[in-house]
Amino acid sequence: MRKNIVAGNWKMNNELSQTETLISDLKKQTKTSNAEVMIAPTFTNLWHAFEATRDHDIEVIAQNMHYADSGAYTGEVSAEMLKSVGVKTVILGHSERRAYFNETDELLAKKVDAALKNDMRIIFCFGEELSDRKSNRHEKVVESQIKNALFHLSNSAFKQIVLAYEPVWAIGTGETASPEQAQDMHAFIRKTLANTYGNDLANSVSILYGGSVKPNNAQEIFSKPDVDGGLIGGASLNAEDFYAIVNAF
Ligand code: PGA
C-alpha cells in the first residue's frame, strides 16, 4: 500500500514566534484521515519545530540542502546538519529552487545522492512550465526531469523517494491542474517508473500533487487513483485550512 502524504511547504514564511503559533494551532487540529503529515519550516526554525512536535505525529522536514558533507559553502546547510536537528526528510528540486537559484537536474542528482547517503527520505519536485503544456511537451519535460535526477538510483534506493508533481503554472497562482490533468500526469509518471524499475516499485512510490491545493479542491484531486497526497504552499500557513486538506482523504 502506498502512503498518503500531505506536506506543508512554508517557504520563506514565519519567523520564530509565528512558527510557534502555527505549530500550536496545528496541534489543536484533529486528524481523521490516514495521511502522514509533514511541515517544512525554514532552516532557522527547524530545531524549534522538531522540539515542539516531539509529542505529535507531525514530521518536520527541510525545504532544501547542499550536497556536500561540510566545507567552504557559505550560507549552505548539509544533510548531516539537518539530521542533527531531527530532520529525516528533505524537499529537493522545488521549482522555485530551479528558477531562482539555478538548480539543474545535474545538481539535483548530486543532492539526491547526498540525501540518500545520509539515509534521508526525499520529496523530489518537478513539473512543466505553462509554455511546455501549451506546446504539448509536458510529459517529455517531466520525464526528463525525473530521469536526469533519479534514474541512476537502484531499485532499493528509490524506495526512499516520494515524487511531487508540481506544474509551475499552478504554484501560488490559484490556478490548479484539473483533477484529470493531475491524474493523467501521475499515471504517466507511474508508467515511466514501471518501464525502468518494474510494476512493484512503480506501485509503491507515493506521487504527490502540488500547485494551489486548497480545502475546496483537495478532495477531488486526492480522489484520483494515482494521486497519493499533496505538497501544499499557501494553504499550509493556516492550521485549519491545512488540516482540512489533510482530512480530505
Ligand atoms: P501553492 O504552493 O500551494 O501555494 O501553490 C505549492 C508549492 O510550491 O509546493
Side-chain angles (χ1 to χ4, degrees):
M1 262 300 274
R2 292 195 290 273
K3 286 180 182 142
N4 292 324
I5 297 171
V6 177
N9 174 12
W10 292 6
K11 309 192 180 184
M12 198 172 73
N13 294 296
N14 292 335
E15 42 69 275
L16 182 57
S17 69
Q18 293 166 322
T19 297
E20 284 167 353
T21 306
L22 182 48
I23 289 178
S24 104
D25 289 348
L26 288 169
K27 287 164 77 176
K28 287 180 200 139
Q29 304 299 314
T30 306
K31 190 168 83 145
T32 57
S33 76
N34 66 356
E36 277 185 40
V37 181
M38 303 177 183
I39 54 170
T42 193
F43 285 138
T44 53
N45 295 325
L46 285 173
W47 173 241
H48 171 81
F50 180 72
E51 287 286 305
T53 54
R54 262 187 200 282
D55 55 347
H56 202 280
D57 64 0
I58 295 174
E59 182 184 347
V60 174
I61 70 172
Q63 298 177 18
N64 179 33
M65 56 165 246
H66 196 269
Y67 60 80
D69 293 337
S70 62
Y73 297 99
T74 302
E76 292 290 334
V77 171
S78 70
E80 197 174 307
M81 292 168 182
L82 294 176
K83 283 204 306 185
S84 74
V85 294
V87 172
K88 297 194 184 82
T89 303
V90 61
I91 299 172
L92 294 176
H94 192 280
S95 69
E96 286 149 18
R97 300 292 319 167
R98 294 175 189 261
Y100 306 142
F101 304 97
N102 304 318
E103 295 201 358
T104 60
D105 293 344
E106 199 184 9
L107 176 84
L108 290 168
K110 287 182 172 181
K111 292 192 177 200
V112 164
D113 290 344
L116 293 178
K117 192 177 85 179
N118 284 281
D119 291 323
M120 292 180 76
R121 180 156 66 158
I122 297 165
I123 298 183
F124 185 79
C125 307
F126 52 88
E128 82 283 359
E129 314 238 354
L130 187 56
S131 56
D132 300 321
R133 188 159 274 271
K134 284 192 167 151
S135 57
N136 207 26
R137 294 189 69 258
H138 45 291
E139 289 187 348
K140 279 259 154 309
V141 169
V142 160
E143 184 177 7
S144 76
Q145 286 173 326
I146 300 174
K147 286 193 167 169
N148 292 342
L150 298 177
F151 272 32
H152 62 288
L153 298 178
S154 68
N155 215 288
S156 68
F158 219 106
K159 298 204 169 92
Q160 293 290 96
I161 308 286
V162 171
L163 297 175
Y165 168 57
E166 298 205 300
V168 178
W169 48 272
I171 297 178
T173 57
E175 188 170 341
T176 332
S178 69
E180 291 70 32
Q181 284 173 320
Q183 168 57 27
D184 287 351
M185 183 59 92
H186 285 219
F188 169 76
I189 293 162
R190 215 175 288 289
K191 192 178 81 198
T192 306
L193 289 181
N195 288 342
T196 300
Y197 290 99
N199 280 329
D200 284 356
L201 189 280
N203 287 328
S204 73
V205 174
S206 297
I207 308 178
L208 316 184
Y209 168 80
S212 298
V213 178
K214 308 286 178 201
N216 65 5
N217 59 23
Q219 201 162 13
E220 216 189 335
I221 296 171
F222 293 170
S223 71
K224 294 295 174 190
D226 286 297
V227 178
D228 306 309
L231 184 55
I232 319 299
S236 72
L237 299 174
N238 176 288
E240 281 176 20
D241 286 353
F242 187 55
Y243 267 78
I245 295 170
V246 169
N247 291 332
F249 276 103

